[in-house]
Amino acid sequence: MTTDTDEQPPPVPDSPSAPLSRWLQRQTQRAQAFDTRRPGIWDGLLTAFWTFAALVDATGGWRNTARDPSVPGGLILAMSLAFTLPLLWRRRRPMTALAVMAGAALVSNWTGAFLQAALLQMIVVFHLALRRPPRTLLWTLALLAPPLVVGTVRFPQGSWDQHIVPTLWAYAMVALLGIAVRSRKDHTAALVDRARRLEIERDQQAQLAAAAERHRIAREMHDIIGHNLSVITGLADGGRYAAAKNPERAAEALDAIGTTSRQALTELRRLLQGAAVRAPQPTLADLDTLLTGVRNAGLAVRLKATGDAQELPAGAQLTVYRVVQEALTNTLKHAGEGAQATVLLVYAADEVTAEVTNTGRAPEPTDRGGLVAMDGQGITGMRERAKLYEGTLEAGPLPGGGWRVRLRLPLEGSPS
């Protein structure tokens, strides 16, 4: 049997080894939770306790501190109840409760009874500081001061400040305690609210990131699958016609179909596995490979470039590549037999322009311009790519027949 001396089990929450402050904090939290759930029970218990204590004092103990022990017992009983029963509504109507208690204190000091139950006013002062605006404490002073002054004038013993100032300081300390508790509660509530808002914001950011990632994957899958399927379809059609007359050409078409399919599967794996770092995205240097695949599918396409080729950011090169790929894919699907396409790249000092035109027929209206395919990712994807780099995209029929897609990307201000 072995024992592990390096790791000790956590202390039991209620064990004697737990810090006393932590135990007190837990008990306070339990009391606050009970008070929040059942405030009426707590108020009733508190009022009953202090009423019982005041009535016990009213049986004769009050004479130990009284200036005039001959005050009638009925009046003592009435004043004791006036000091304790208002505690029942100290939270709902604290000023009313304090006014009743201050009236009883005025009678108590006038008659010379000086009941100790008058100190219960501190409980109401604490709740006023805790729940009411600070300016309410001025009215509190107006209610607490007159009984003290009356008692000092009616039964002067020693200097007047010895009877008034210490009591007022006691009330002030209680008020400061209420303000401190209120500030701590407000600070805790602010922290809880901030944490809640941060949690909501984090969830929203996660949802937005997930939606953006889904959209990116859908757009990339459209570009990859849409283009490669169009190439495969063209190769299959060409191979079917060549099978009867030239079997060698049909075999070449089948080889090209296999190669294109494997390339599509490889790109899909890289996309879904998030291998963008290990497998770089296409750039403008890959346009020749793209055009070769399109030509093998049966579309005659030419590439023209004017101006000096400049080093574009990788994202901008991918945007140009994908727009050209999408435009050629739509040409394969909608332009018809005998169509020809031209890809024109113009490099200027402040922008790069990519224009793809074809001489085939215009798309049918049901095609929505021949630019939307596979769940509507076509034209949307091209425009979003252009917008990412503050570019513009134009698409529409040519006057003499055919179709044109024109992309313009400014070079200045492009993100890296």
Side-chain angles (χ1 to χ4, degrees), residues 180-199:
V181 173
R182 178 177 184 172
S183 299
R184 183 178 182 276
K185 291 177 64 176
D186 292 344
H187 179 67
T188 303
L191 292 178
V192 171
D193 181 68
R194 180 182 179 185
R196 181 183 60 82
R197 288 188 285 107
L198 288 175
E199 183 178 0

Side-chain angles (χ1 to χ4, degrees), residues 202-361:
R202 181 198 63 189
D203 294 340
Q204 291 176 345
Q205 291 294 335
Q207 293 175 1
L208 290 175
E213 181 65 12
R214 286 195 299 268
H215 183 71
R216 184 190 69 82
I217 292 175
R219 184 174 59 194
E220 294 293 338
M221 288 183 66
H222 166 264
D223 292 338
I224 295 170
I225 297 178
H227 171 72
N228 286 286
L229 284 182
S230 298
V231 172
I232 290 172
T233 301
L235 291 171
D237 291 340
R240 181 168 58 85
Y241 287 116
K245 299 180 180 180
N246 192 343
E248 294 182 358
R249 296 285 295 176
E252 293 177 358
L254 291 175
D255 291 339
I257 289 175
T259 302
T260 304
S261 301
R262 284 188 291 272
Q263 290 176 352
L265 288 175
T266 301
E267 291 189 37
L268 279 178
R269 290 194 191 98
R270 290 170 177 171
L271 173 64
L272 297 179
Q273 292 174 1
V277 176
R278 297 189 300 271
Q281 294 283 7
T283 63
L284 294 181
D286 299 310
L287 278 179
D288 291 336
T289 304
L290 173 66
L291 299 183
T292 300
V294 173
R295 293 189 186 104
N296 291 335
L299 176 64
V301 58
R302 295 182 301 169
L303 173 63
K304 297 181 180 180
T306 62
D308 295 331
Q310 302 185 27
E311 284 295 332
L312 295 178
Q317 294 192 43
L318 178 61
T319 298
V320 176
Y321 180 91
R322 291 303 190 195
V323 169
V324 172
Q325 182 186 53
E326 177 66 20
L328 294 177
T329 300
N330 290 322
T331 302
L332 279 171
K333 291 190 293 185
H334 304 289
E337 298 182 2
Q340 297 181 357
T342 301
V343 178
L344 176 61
L345 296 179
V346 179
Y347 298 96
D350 57 348
E351 67 179 17
V352 59
T353 304
E355 184 175 281
V356 182
T357 58
N358 66 71
T359 60
R361 63 179 178 86

Side-chain angles (χ1 to χ4, degrees), residues 99-157:
V100 174
M101 298 172 75
L106 185 64
V107 175
S108 175
N109 291 354
W110 179 270
T111 59
F114 285 89
L115 296 179
Q116 298 183 61
L119 296 177
L120 295 177
Q121 295 177 98
M122 293 184 179
I123 299 177
V124 183
V125 172
F126 175 81
H127 280 275
L128 282 168
L130 182 65
R131 303 175 184 275
R132 292 292 188 269
R135 63 176 179 274
T136 308
L137 296 177
L138 297 177
W139 294 102
T140 301
L141 179 63
L143 291 174
L144 296 175
L148 300 177
V149 175
V150 168
T152 302
V153 173
R154 287 272 296 169
F155 301 95
Q157 291 183 2

